[in-house]
Amino acid sequence: MHRILVRSGIALGGAALAAVGALATAGPANAAWSDCPAGSLCAYLGTNGSGDPGTVSGDNNNLLQYNKFNNAESLYNHGNSCNVRIFSGLNKTGSSYVLDRGYTNPTLAGTVYWHNVASNDWCV
């Protein structure tokens, strides 16, 4: 009987260590919209603002040079006072839409901006 209890204890102890090990290696929680700095347009590699934001401020003619805009799946306009126009083409060309200040676009899927936020223009 004693051997059975010892073996059970070893098995339970091993399971507990495996569970603790899994918790210890878990990654950090995803970034939130609130991680976008004030005054910035933020692009995320995941939908709903998941992942660390890529940030820009001011007008930009080539956002595709930045990985997070070149592969953007969601956006947040955390501008201080302006709406921002997003373009699918470089140098403010192609399709465009206005992302109002304080608003998000939780998914760019199914749009020309999916993995292609090419340029932007503030205060439109």
Side-chain angles (χ1 to χ4, degrees), residues 11-124:
L12 289 174
L17 284 175
V20 169
L23 290 174
T25 59
N30 285 336
W33 298 115
S34 61
D35 291 336
C36 180
S40 299
L41 170 63
C42 291
Y44 298 83
L45 296 179
T47 59
N48 296 307
S50 62
D52 295 322
T55 64
V56 294
S57 57
D59 297 344
N60 292 278
N61 288 323
N62 181 7
L63 292 173
L64 298 180
Q65 65 184 318
Y66 307 116
N67 180 55
K68 295 198 176 171
F69 285 87
N70 189 36
N71 294 291
E73 295 189 5
S74 57
L75 297 171
Y76 175 37
N77 176 358
H78 198 195
N80 292 324
S81 60
C82 295
N83 298 333
V84 62
R85 182 172 294 277
I86 309 299
F87 294 88
S88 64
L90 298 174
N91 302 308
K92 302 174 194 135
T93 62
S95 299
S96 71
Y97 82 98
V98 174
L99 182 59
D100 291 337
R101 184 174 65 86
Y103 282 81
T104 67
N105 188 328
T107 182
L108 299 171
T111 73
V112 296
Y113 312 102
W114 178 256
H115 295 186
N116 187 50
V117 177
S119 53
N120 73 289
D121 187 20
W122 285 93
C123 296
V124 294

